[in-house]
Amino acid sequence: MTKEKYALLDTDFISKTHLIRKDDKNTMIDRIMEMQGYRFYCHEQIKAELARHNISNAFEWLNTKISSGLIHCITDEEIIEELHSIYLNSAEAAYVSMLKNGCEAFKGGYFEENFTRIQKLDYLTVSKEHFLKELRADCSIIGARKNLGELKSYVLLQMLSAKLGEQIYVFCSDDKNARNGMVSLGGARCISVLSAFMRLNRDGNLSKADAEPYIQSYLDECRKHNQTVFKVYDASKQMRVCRVLCEQLIEEMYDGKLEMLQNGNLRYK
């Protein structure tokens, strides 16, 4: 029996892969959801962020997948409940530790600056209900465009890692620092939009011929943002950064000339 893989989806990844499409009914994220052996998760903050922007109806897509049970949308309350089953009365303290780790991976001092209410709590005596109330109050003040989705995904990653004892796969942002943060926290294996094509070829049995409409759609999106090259590492021990034309790199990727690193970056073999 194939071992089940546990995977997180973030806002940026869903938005971008929902835009990459063969036609109105066939998007790249649909092909990813069809990969066998994966159980997909997201934090409810991802749902809130997609609802706020809703680029190309990505929120409706996510809502449908959550309603059908194909994506498990996890709340902070559910994370606390899971932590209680692992750490008993230290669950709130464990949540704060995971949140601090996520904040530090994102930006030094972010926790101290933004989560002022929960800093004042006694984590060993506070009730779950009061803790969640203060956490929501902090988050409401932080507001939009402050990377809350990434931070909550960091917490969810650490909880799943503690609960399952398994490597977690994270389909995530093209932002290098965000992916490195994921790797540093829970030993996650990150998958960017570009490296997802390799994953689809390997785990989704999507041949280059079948992937061609999605490849062209991806290249079109790159051109819209004036992106003509991808950054990858060479095969040297120094792992020097190379800038390779987008079309050339994708050809070389399907020719088997590249390997995927843990943080989602690609490297020549």
Side-chain angles (χ1 to χ4, degrees), residues 76-95 98 122-132 159 162-163:
D76 283 319
E77 183 173 6
E78 288 170 316
I79 291 175
I80 290 291
E81 288 173 358
E82 291 288 356
L83 292 176
H84 270 287
S85 70
I86 301 169
Y87 299 110
L88 303 177
N89 292 336
S90 298
E92 285 74 20
Y95 183 101
M98 292 175 178
D122 181 343
Y123 307 129
L124 296 179
T125 60
V126 67
S127 69
K128 180 183 73 174
E129 292 74 20
H130 186 61
F131 178 84
L132 288 167
M159 183 277 283
K163 177 186 177 183

Side-chain angles (χ1 to χ4, degrees), residues 96-115:
V96 172
S97 176
M98 292 175 178
L99 182 59
K100 282 183 178 179
N101 290 339
C103 289
E104 285 301 311
F106 171 63
K107 180 184 176 183
Y110 188 100
F111 177 82
E112 291 75 12
E113 181 181 345
N114 292 283
F115 291 94

